[in-house]
Each structure stands twice: as C-alpha cells, then as structure tokens.
C-alpha cells in the first residue's frame, strides 16, 4: 500500500473510531478526541516521545486564543437572558409585526437573540414565548417555533462569537470580523427560506406540549427598554462589524491605526460589550453589582463542555499536522474534482450524521480540510461558513437539539423529522448555496 493510501486509511479508521466511541460508547468528547489522537498518532507512525507533546500543544494552541472570548461571550449572553432583554426584544418585534406576521417576528427574535446567546440557552429562554403566543392566539405551535429555532440555529452555525464559527475561524486562520460580515450575507437569505417560508408547510402538525413548558415570563415592569435591549444585545456585532470596516481603510496616522487594531481584537470587543451590558442592563437599572454578576458562574459551567470539545479537536488536529498527514491529505484532496468549499461541507455533513454534535462535526472536519485553504487559495472565511453549513445538516436521534425540540413541542418522531430535521437540512443546503454564490464575487 502506498504511503498516501495508508495515511488516508489511518485517518478514516481514526474518524470511525471517534464516531463509534462517542455515538455508541457515550465516551465524553474530550476523552474520545484524546484517545483518537493517540490511535491516529500510532497508525501514522509518529515517534512515541513526541505524541504527548503534540496533544498538549494542540489543546493549548486552540484554547489559548479562544477560551477568554468564548467565556466572556457566555457570561454576556447569560446577562442578556437574565435581564429580560431577550424577552423585551421578542415582545417588541411581535407588537410591531402583528399577529399575521408573527413568524417573521419570531424569526428576527431568534436571530437577534441568538447572536449573543448560546443555542441551548436561547432555546430554553425563548421557547416559552412561543407557547405564550399559542395560548393567546391558538396558532399552531410548530409553525411558530420553527422560525424562532431556525434563527437560533443560523446564528449558532454561521456567526462569531459563537463557539463553533469562532473556533473554525481559528483553525482556518480567518479574520473573525470579516467572517461575521460574510456570515450575515449567507445567514439572512438562508434564515428566510428555512424559517418562515418553510414553516408555512407545517401548519397541520399537531403539538402536545406538557404542562412543564407553560410560559413563566417576567412582568413588563421588570424588563429593560426595547432600545436598550436591542443596542446592548447586538453590541458585539456592531463593534466587530464597525472595526472590521475601519481596518479595510487604514488611516495615514499610524497611532490611530494602532488604536483601531487594539479595539478591533475580538477579546477587547467582548470585554467592552460585557462591561457596557453590566452598566446598561444592570447597574443603570438599579441592580447591585453582586446580583448582576450572579449568573456568571452558571454561564461558565454551561460553556465548559463546549471548551472541552474544542480542546479535543485541537489535539487531533495537531497530530494530523505533526505527522505530516494533514499536508499530504491537503495535496490529495485538492486533486479531487470537487470544489474545496463543497468538500469541506460534505465532510462536515458526514461527521454530523455520525456524531450528532454540530460543534464536534465542524471542528473534526476542519482538522481534515484545513490544508486545502492554504494549498488551493480558498477564502478562509467562506470555508468557515461552508463547514458550518455542513455541520448543521440532517440533525437526528443522536443530536440533543432533536430531542429538545421533540419533547418541548410534544411531537412524534415522524413529525420531529418532518419539522426540525428538515429545517436543519434546509439551513445546511441553502447555507452552502449562498456560500458558493458569494465565492463567485470574492
């Protein structure tokens, strides 16, 4: 067997091993990634003495640039949730759009609130709003819920500072601010198609939610104002987008460029956004600092499993790099008659079906296709979005999101596949389509 064929077989065996121990063995993803990294290193003939250092380096390198950004993002999102800002955003949009366009209002709610909120947090926080509207209007629950969860899903898959696109940007060397702007271009038309338009086909699905999920919302008097809620929740987007534009047109004044570069750093942007949120949603509304900071510990506990998945993916990536197989695979894959963006999407899709977790699928795919970005000149930001789109495809019984939607909505398996799984698949398909269209113009 030729060295290239053996390298590809070794990677294939390692990915199958990872899939089996996570999907069927229920091994914790960090441990699964480390075990897979060891297997891959042995199969690829790495010197034994270098294997532990490669694993440690991979974990440290990937977490080093992301940990603070992701942790501050989690704390920021928790504050948006606990302050009632997300509830205010939803209520305001529904009031503006009216009952006939409620699906559009919920789509925008999921998308806007989904930018600072992690998916599971956003789902648990916002789904009671759907039931509140169902009880008030008698409209079908699934047709109202799909635009909302689609907004959350699109933000989760395409837009930094969410963990997966942020980590993918780090893997591919993509600029986070530019990736956010490109992600907006891809996300908005994808959201319209997979959200309210698709929801029109779901009006006949019957939902039987349990009493547990009846809404418990804050009274109006305890909510922040609509302007305050919108501006603060979207502050990371305003700052990332604004500074990215400024970097495209540098000033003749070098001192000014230095200041702009400092504040354009995602770490600084998240710190500034969180500090202002503490002021506008907490202290400025008469809350004590201790109560405003109360949710930080819980937010960090929620984000810890995501960080561990990212750490494990970094270990496997480093083994593939140091063994030389990453570059070899990049050269081999670049000869396939498939565009690199489609190839990244396809590998992420296969891993998503096998593993369930969109984050695990995306980061594992990134370790395999990262050399293509350099060897083929593919736009790194577009590769982040293509892999992100593939990682959202075909959610089924091995995905926690599938079961959350099924149980909250009180659906049969058939209706969950018909609504949730098809929605996620439409996001992945149209996400890739708009990435490919965008690639023509970049």
């Amino acid at each position: 067997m030729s060295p290239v064929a053996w390298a590809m077989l070794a990677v294939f065996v390692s990915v199958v091993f990872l899939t089996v121990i996570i999907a069927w063995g229920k091994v914790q993803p960090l441990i699964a990634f480390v075990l897979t990294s060891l297997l891959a290193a042995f199969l690829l003939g790495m010197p034994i003495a270098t294997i532990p250092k490669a694993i440690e380096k991979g974990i440290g390198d990937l977490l080093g640039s992301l940990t603070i950004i992701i942790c501050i993002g989690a704390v920021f999102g928790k504050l948006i949730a606990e302050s009632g800002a997300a509830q205010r955003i939803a209520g305001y949009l529904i009031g503006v759009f009216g009952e006939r366009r409620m699906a559009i209002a919920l789509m925008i709610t999921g998308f806007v609130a989904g930018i600072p909120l992690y998916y599971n947090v956003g789902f648990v926080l916002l789904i009671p709003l759907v039931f509140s509207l169902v009880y008030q209007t008698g409209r079908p629950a699934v047709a109202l819920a799909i635009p909302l969860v689609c907004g959350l899903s699109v933000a989760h898959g395409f837009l930094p500072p969410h963990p997966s696109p942020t980590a993918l940007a780090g893997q591919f060397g993509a600029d986070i601010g530019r990736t956010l702007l490109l992600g907006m271009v891809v996300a908005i038309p994808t959201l319209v198609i997979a959200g309210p338009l698709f929801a029109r086909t779901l009006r006949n699905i019957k939902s039987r939610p349990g009493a547990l999920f009846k809404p418990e919302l804050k009274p109006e008097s305890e909510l922040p104002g609509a302007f305050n809620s919108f501006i603060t929740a979207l502050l990371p987007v305003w700052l990332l987008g604004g500074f990215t534009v400024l970097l495209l047109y540098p000033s003749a004044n070098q001192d000014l460029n230095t200041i702009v570069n400092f504040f354009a750093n995602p770490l600084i942007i998240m710190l500034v956004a969180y500090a202002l949120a503490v002021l506008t949603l907490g202290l400025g509304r008469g809350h004590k600092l201790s109560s405003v900071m109360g949710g930080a510990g819980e937010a960090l506990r929620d984000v810890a499993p995501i960080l561990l998945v990212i750490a494990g993916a970094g270990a496997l990536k480093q083994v593939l790099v140091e063994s030389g197989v990453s570059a070899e695979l990049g050269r081999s894959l670049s000869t396939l008659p498939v565009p690199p963006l489609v190839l990244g999407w396809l590998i992420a899709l296969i891993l998503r079906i096998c593993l369930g977790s969109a984050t695990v699928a995306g980061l594992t795919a990134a370790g395999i296709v990262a050399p293509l970005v350099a060897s083929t000149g593919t736009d790194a930001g577009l590769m982040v979005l293509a892999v992100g789109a593939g990682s959202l495809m075909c959610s089924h019984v091995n995905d926690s999101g599938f079961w959350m939607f099924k149980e909250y909505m009180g659906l049969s398996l058939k209706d969950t596949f018909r609504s949730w799984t098809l929605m996620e698949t439409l996001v992945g398909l149209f996400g890739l389509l708009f990435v490919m269209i965008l690639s023509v113009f970049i």
Side-chain angles (χ1 to χ4, degrees):
M1 184 180 292
S2 69
V4 174
W6 173 254
M8 297 184 76
L9 178 62
V11 172
F12 175 76
V13 169
S14 300
V15 172
V16 170
F17 176 73
L18 178 69
T19 301
V20 169
I21 62 176
I22 290 179
W24 285 284
K26 306 302 179 186
V27 177
Q28 200 278 335
L30 173 63
I31 298 173
F33 269 114
V34 172
L35 292 174
T36 302
S37 301
L38 289 170
L39 174 64
F42 287 128
L43 291 175
L44 295 168
M46 284 184 65
I48 293 178
T50 66
I51 295 174
K53 291 182 179 179
I55 293 174
E56 292 170 5
K57 184 177 187 304
I59 292 173
D61 286 354
L62 194 52
L63 283 183
S65 60
L66 298 176
T67 302
I68 298 179
I69 297 172
I70 291 174
C71 287
I72 295 174
V75 174
F76 176 79
K78 189 70 172 178
L79 179 55
I80 297 296
E82 291 191 338
S83 67
Q87 183 181 330
R88 171 64 77 188
I89 290 168
Y92 177 82
L93 288 170
I94 290 165
V96 168
F97 283 92
E99 185 176 327
R100 290 186 61 190
R101 298 180 178 85
M102 211 177 292
I104 297 175
L106 288 168
M107 174 193 74
I108 298 174
T109 298
F111 187 62
V112 171
I115 291 171
L117 293 177
Y118 291 118
Y119 183 86
N120 289 349
V121 175
F123 184 97
V124 173
L125 171 74
L126 295 177
I127 211 70
L129 296 171
V130 173
F131 292 126
S132 176
L133 295 172
V134 170
Y135 295 134
Q136 291 175 40
T137 66
R139 302 281 291 276
V142 175
L144 290 179
I146 282 294
L148 177 79
V149 297
C150 185
L152 290 171
S153 186
V154 166
H156 171 77
F158 296 141
L159 304 180
H162 274 276
S164 183
T166 302
L168 289 174
Q171 292 255 39
F172 294 130
D175 178 80
I176 290 179
R178 183 172 177 275
T179 301
L180 173 64
L181 295 179
L182 294 174
M184 285 287 189
V185 175
V186 170
I188 291 172
T190 300
L191 176 57
V192 171
I193 294 167
L197 290 181
F198 172 60
R200 292 184 179 183
T201 69
L202 306 175
R203 292 171 179 168
N204 293 327
I205 292 181
K206 303 298 182 184
S207 173
R208 293 171 292 278
L212 174 64
F213 305 126
K214 285 191 176 181
E216 295 182 7
L217 305 176
K218 288 178 178 258
E220 285 285 316
S221 60
E222 295 181 15
L223 300 179
F227 179 81
N228 184 6
S229 299
F230 272 103
I231 294 298
T232 305
L234 292 175
L235 195 56
V237 177
W238 308 134
L239 294 176
L240 273 171
F243 279 110
T244 299
V245 172
L246 288 177
L247 290 173
L248 295 176
Y249 303 98
S251 168
N253 187 323
Q254 290 303 312
D255 291 336
L256 179 59
N257 288 335
T258 301
I259 294 172
V260 169
N261 275 283
F262 174 77
F263 283 103
N265 186 288
L267 166 61
I268 303 302
I269 284 174
M270 292 308 301
L271 280 172
V272 170
Y274 179 56
L276 291 175
V278 168
L279 291 174
T280 59
L281 297 177
L283 302 181
R285 297 178 58 229
H287 298 294
K288 293 182 179 179
L289 183 62
S290 57
S291 66
V292 175
M293 295 293 179
E298 185 179 345
L300 294 177
R301 286 194 295 274
D302 290 341
V303 82
I306 298 173
L307 288 172
L308 294 179
V309 170
I310 293 171
L316 180 57
K317 181 200 109 172
Q318 194 63 31
V319 165
L320 296 178
V321 169
E322 293 197 13
S323 67
V325 71
S326 187
E328 191 63 47
L329 279 175
R331 286 191 292 270
S332 301
L333 292 174
S334 64
T335 64
L336 294 176
V338 179
L341 293 172
V342 176
L343 189 63
W345 175 86
L346 185 59
I347 292 173
L349 159 62
I350 293 169
L351 291 169
R352 161 70 155 175
I353 292 172
C354 295
L355 299 173
S357 168
T359 303
V360 175
L363 292 174
T364 306
I368 296 172
V369 303
L372 281 177
V373 175
S375 64
T376 64
T378 302
D379 186 279
L382 291 182
M383 183 61 88
V384 170
L385 301 178
V387 170
S391 73
L392 294 175
M393 290 281 292
C394 302
S395 169
H396 62 102
V397 295
N398 61 358
D399 178 19
S400 61
F402 176 94
W403 293 105
M404 286 178 67
F405 190 81
K406 177 186 180 301
E407 296 305 317
Y408 270 77
M409 290 289 110
L411 299 177
S412 65
L413 278 173
K414 175 185 174 182
D415 285 338
T416 309
F417 281 114
R418 167 73 177 85
S419 53
W420 166 266
T421 301
L422 190 49
M423 180 274 292
E424 289 280 86
T425 302
L426 288 172
V427 169
L429 287 171
F430 282 97
L432 175 65
L433 173 63
F434 291 118
V435 166
M436 297 305 294
I437 293 173
L438 200 54
S439 69
V440 176
F441 300 98
I442 293 181

